[in-house]
Amino acid sequence: METTIVVIPCYNEAERLDLEEFRALLEEPGLSLLFVDDGSRDATLDMLQEFAASTDNVDVLPLTPNRGKAEAVRQGLLRALEGEARVVGFIDADMATPGEEVVRLTHRAHAEGADAIIGSRIAYMGTDIDRSMGRHLLGRVFATAASLALDAKVYDTQCGAKFFRASELLSRVVAEPFHSRWAFDVELLGRLLAEEAEIIEVPLRQWVDVPGSKIGFKSMVKAGLDLVQIRSHLAKRRRK
Ligand SMILES: Nc1nc2c(ncn2[C@@H]2O[C@H](COP(=O)(O)OP(=O)(O)O)[C@@H](O)[C@H]2O)c(=O)[nH]1
Ligand SMILES: [Mg+2]
């Protein structure tokens, strides 16, 4: 059986969480959900615990206090790697990457030998990638800078959906906290590349810009600044 654990970092998501969408995702055989509550101050944790108590294949990892998405994802992946799942990964709580696309990415991760399968928001005819122009443009600038920082051709580092072969390599990559709070996706990819991992970007057929993003303009600027630091951390890592 293709076993998969999907980590969902959640911070103050009580208003946005659509548990029916997650219930639909659970229809995929072998798939389990691990929600990480990142010290939410609203009813998120109660909602998640109630959902987990009444639904098979759902777990909740509560963290206190709030540590940020990078650490919430890392803690979730560490927990997921303790189990037997062959593929582990993460998605955002708003399910901007719809369930069918999440399932398609997990299938690719199982079928292909790659270390990582990452969703990529490339808008071209025939796809339904719904992003505001401002976010799209900022995203393109950031992705170009991220490519330079990583010395790799990557189109979209910031899509929330990423899946990995559960392996020794992944355990090493998430063993230490990320330096970057806002560009940890880039740091994660860089750590994988430093170990010559194979990463495949998979263009999404659908992606929805769900309102209520918790990542504002300031954080995007911080993420850009983080890239400089990430580049030097990765150089050190490669020398090791
Ligand atoms: N901003 C923020 N998001 C967090 C934190 N911890 C976990 N998350 C989760 O990280 C994801 C960020 O996605 P979202 O807010 O939609 O931002 P987007 O990338 O701009 O669409 C959501 O699932 C959040 O609940 C945190 O401390 N701050
Ligand atoms: Mg979002």
Side-chain angles (χ1 to χ4, degrees), residues 33-90:
L33 302 176
L34 172 59
F35 290 92
V36 180
D37 177 62
D38 188 19
S40 296
R41 277 173 295 193
D42 64 1
T44 302
L45 182 58
D46 292 340
M47 273 176 78
L48 292 175
Q49 279 173 335
E50 199 177 306
F51 184 51
S54 61
T55 320
D56 288 340
N57 302 323
V58 178
D59 268 316
V60 182
L61 172 63
L63 300 178
T64 35
N66 170 256
R67 306 180 195 189
K69 181 179 177 184
E71 186 58 9
V73 165
R74 194 181 76 89
Q75 291 294 336
L77 291 176
L78 284 171
R79 169 67 68 86
L81 283 166
E82 288 171 11
E84 301 289 304
R86 287 190 44 228
V87 166
V88 300
F90 58 91

Side-chain angles (χ1 to χ4, degrees), residues 2-22:
E2 294 188 345
T3 43
T4 309
I5 299 182
V6 183
V7 170
I8 305 117
C10 298
Y11 177 58
N12 293 346
E13 292 285 1
E15 298 268 301
R16 269 204 316 183
L17 266 182
D18 184 348
L19 294 177
E20 288 317 307
E21 279 197 60
F22 288 105

Side-chain angles (χ1 to χ4, degrees), residues 9-11 13 16 38 66 68-69 72 92-94 135 181-182 212-215:
C10 298
Y11 177 58
E13 292 285 1
R16 269 204 316 183
D38 188 19
N66 170 256
K69 181 179 177 184
D92 284 345
D94 60 5
R135 283 205 152 219
R181 187 179 168 106
W182 302 109
S213 160
K214 308 235 159 37
I215 301 182

Side-chain angles (χ1 to χ4, degrees), residues 168-214:
E168 283 285 306
L169 170 67
L170 183 64
S171 302
R172 283 199 299 279
V173 159
V174 295
E176 286 169 32
F178 296 105
H179 294 93
S180 167
R181 187 179 168 106
W182 302 109
F184 84 96
D185 298 70
V186 180
E187 198 174 357
L188 171 58
L189 297 178
R191 287 182 182 186
L192 284 165
L193 289 172
E195 301 224 22
E196 281 164 24
E198 187 189 1
I199 304 175
I200 299 181
E201 272 191 286
V202 175
L204 295 178
R205 294 174 187 154
Q206 199 192 3
W207 188 87
V208 197
D209 208 349
V210 181
S213 160
K214 308 235 159 37

